[in-house]
Amino acid sequence: MDLTELIKEEYNTTYLFDAQIDSIDDQKFFKQSMLDGYKKIQSLENKHNNKAAFIMGLGPSLFDTDCSLHCEDIKFTCNHFHKVPNFFDNEMKPDYWCAANSYDELKDPFLFCMQNDIESIVTIPIRKEFVNLLKISKSKINLVYPWMWEQKIFQLSLAKKYGIKKTYSHCNTITNHMIAYALWMGCNPINVTGFDLSHNQALKTYGSTHAGFTDNRVKDDHSIHGSAALDDPVMRKQIMDDLKYLCFIANRNGITINNMSHKSNKLPKTLS
């Protein structure tokens, strides 16, 4: 069974439709959205072949960016980018917004993307929340590329494209997902900024966890998944393992990944 048939089989199992989805209509909507999303994700393969990608995480080093050098790149950003002051206007409007989080965390930036016609690549672990998010896209669903969390559908597709037997993880930082999307779309080089790798260090150095704003949960509750991930040793190892996996793909295929946040994250300036 090839990957396409495997995914269809997964989507047709009752396993996918449990108490997280309230009604038959919700189940049908979710199933169709995921099947459509898989086809849409596939349509992005090599869409931007050999075009430069600009991956914009939301660490404070984002502000060190010379935007004039990247306004023609394929631009990716994530999460609460709409909170960053005076950066994403005009020439730096993202081509793709990318997210993997809860409904409460993603609702506002997702609505912002729909209102501003920004294409959105998104996944949510809880299916009921995913249904609620997709439903608020209304007539803009053509802008949305949903993929399924449990089966790591996108990771499987990327591994198949590059002939690798293993996948990267569910991921503890959206920046790794954005690098993976750029690899999927055939971008080269891939320029990465705002990739600071420590919210605690960012607080000490810049006075904020993110570029121009602070996620107070990082200070108040270090148990929150994602928020504390960059400063948790176990999760940080997972982040670095995923990054090494993506850099392995890039190295083997002549793709350059430039680390524009090297002064902040202390990783090599050229990752691949």
Side-chain angles (χ1 to χ4, degrees), residues 50-69:
N50 290 321
K51 293 182 180 178
F54 191 41
I55 306 296
M56 295 176 283
L58 301 184
S61 64
L62 178 68
F63 286 148
D64 297 333
T65 301
D66 184 347
C67 296
S68 66
L69 300 178

Side-chain angles (χ1 to χ4, degrees), residues 163-212:
I164 300 174
K165 293 182 178 179
K166 62 176 290 188
T167 69
Y168 72 95
S169 77
H170 284 111
C171 227
N172 283 323
T173 175
I174 192 63
T175 302
N176 277 340
H177 276 315
M178 290 193 289
I179 294 171
Y181 297 143
L183 289 169
W184 177 248
M185 296 183 201
C187 296
N188 189 17
I190 298 172
N191 304 302
V192 185
T193 188
F195 192 30
D196 291 66
L197 282 177
S198 173
H199 290 143
N200 290 334
Q201 187 59 46
L203 271 173
K204 292 178 183 178
T205 304
Y206 298 95
S208 63
T209 59
H210 294 71

Side-chain angles (χ1 to χ4, degrees), residues 70-126:
H70 300 280
C71 59
E72 298 300 323
D73 292 1
I74 305 301
K75 294 178 282 294
F76 298 79
T77 195
C78 57
N79 298 342
H80 295 89
F81 78 102
H82 64 306
K83 292 184 178 181
V84 178
N86 306 315
F87 189 88
F88 290 102
D89 302 332
N90 303 321
E91 293 177 327
M92 295 310 294
K93 176 183 174 181
D95 295 293
Y96 298 97
W97 173 75
C98 310
N101 211 314
S102 68
Y103 175 83
D104 288 340
E105 285 298 304
L106 300 185
K107 179 182 177 181
D108 289 345
F110 183 69
L111 283 171
F112 183 90
C113 289
M114 295 300 97
Q115 292 164 1
N116 291 275
D117 295 326
I118 298 171
E119 296 187 66
S120 301
I121 307 173
V122 63
T123 187
I124 294 180
I126 300 175

Side-chain angles (χ1 to χ4, degrees), residues 4 12 27 46 51 68 98 126 134 158 166 172 180 243 251 266-267:
T4 303
N12 279 288
Q27 290 180 13
N46 294 327
K51 293 182 180 178
S68 66
C98 310
I126 300 175
L134 295 175
L158 185 72
K166 62 176 290 188
N172 283 323
L243 182 60
N251 270 318
K266 309 304 181 184
L267 298 177

